Amino acid sequence: MNARTLVRLTFANPASAIYLGLVGLAMAIATAVTLFSPDPGFVWVLPALCAFPLFLFVTLAEGAIRGEGKPETWLFITELVLCVLAQSLVLGTIVEASRGRLRRRPRPI
């Protein structure tokens, strides 16, 4: 698997593009509420729920390594973005495999 295939599976696949668009919209709404509201509350839960399965394990592992306390914002957002990209790659791989496009076919000469 080369870099072009990874980019195609992560970004250019329709299912992955829709997923990334929804997560981007959730992050944009959370950022706007955080910037323009005096009390944003739990607005960042929605982007975290979009990346839930993998983000839960990454956050638990980071909490176990780091210990108690509130994580920095840059670490939270970096974990969120990396988990979303990893899940987008898995989603694209599942969709392409179900279509049968990931099988190696000999090219006709």
Side-chain angles (χ1 to χ4, degrees), residues 8 11 21 30 47-48 63 65 82-84 91:
R8 182 178 53 86
F11 299 107
I65 293 170
L82 291 177
C83 289
V84 165
L91 181 64

Side-chain angles (χ1 to χ4, degrees), residues 42-103:
F42 287 99
V43 71
W44 282 96
V45 170
L46 182 61
L49 286 177
C50 290
F52 177 68
L54 186 60
F55 187 68
L56 174 69
F57 295 122
V58 170
T59 305
L60 289 176
E62 185 263 330
I65 293 170
R66 196 168 170 272
E68 295 293 323
K70 183 179 176 183
E72 291 84 12
T73 304
W74 67 268
L75 183 62
F76 175 78
I77 293 175
T78 303
E79 289 173 353
L80 185 65
V81 168
L82 291 177
C83 289
V84 165
L85 289 176
Q87 289 183 170
S88 177
L89 174 66
V90 170
L91 181 64
T93 304
I94 290 170
V95 168
E96 292 295 317
S98 69
R99 291 180 179 171
R101 294 183 183 174
L102 291 180
R103 288 182 277 167

Side-chain angles (χ1 to χ4, degrees), residues 15-30:
S16 296
I18 291 170
Y19 173 70
L20 289 173
L22 290 175
V23 173
L25 179 67
M27 290 184 75
I29 291 171

